[in-house]
Amino acid sequence: MKFFADTADLDEIRELASMGLLDGVTTNPSLVAKSGGDFKETIAEICKMIPGPVSAEVVALDADGMIAEGRHLAKIASNVTVKVPLTWDGLKACSTLTGEGTMVNVTLCFNANQALLAAKSGATFISPFIGRLDDIGLDGMELIEEIREIYDNYDFRTEILAASIRTVNHVKQAALAGADVSTVPPATLKALVKHPLTDKGLEAFTADWAKTGQKIL
Ligand code: G3P
């Protein structure tokens, strides 16, 4: 499974990229507002750090506006992935932009039929929002499973990008359900390494090593 960082924070992206952990980045208007940076400059910076897809979201609500914004954003770098919402106009924009060779991430997906439409429209990525479905008492992971089955049934090449990931368990479940990508907030990505027995074991090794009085360097 590929890891994307779900953030517009340049320092966080830099650290994760330096470890070779990142296959891409996703941003959205809320994350850009949180980072406080200039949108297009931020996207350009991220694209320099990460060779993989970097999602930049349009804000127009009509297809023509989305297409114009998408074309503008796509000029920033060859790895810009234009993110459009899962609306009728968003699907029109997806179809046009993918036809021009631009990668498109269709976002705000909350059911399997929406995902089917996105794949039919040629989306590079579909972004089902797991956490927001869980928030309203539904099962976000069930949606990933349904989309996986549908895409496999018809051999759709659209990649399932599990989004709105809030917990380490979401990451594991998305991997088990066959999501192609998980886009994860950096804090959650770092939390994947944690296990109390790892800490306990390391504590014991450190204490026993001290008893030997030896040094490696
Ligand atoms: O990738 C979409 C993500 O940023 C939304 O996450 O936690 O706001 O539902 P959240």
Coordinates of all heavy atoms in Angstrom, one line a residue, residues 10 19 58:
L10 N 4.7 22.0 5.3 CA 6.0 21.7 4.6 C 7.0 21.0 5.5 O 7.7 20.1 5.0 CB 6.6 23.0 4.0 CG 5.7 23.7 2.9 CD1 6.4 25.0 2.5 CD2 5.5 22.8 1.7
M19 N 12.7 10.3 5.0 CA 12.8 8.9 5.4 C 12.4 8.0 4.2 O 12.3 6.7 4.4 CB 11.9 8.7 6.6 CG 12.4 9.4 7.8 SD 11.2 9.2 9.1 CE 11.3 7.5 9.5
V58 N -9.5 22.1 -6.5 CA -10.1 23.2 -7.1 C -11.2 23.7 -6.1 O -11.6 23.0 -5.2 CB -10.8 22.9 -8.4 CG1 -9.8 22.4 -9.5 CG2 -11.9 21.8 -8.2

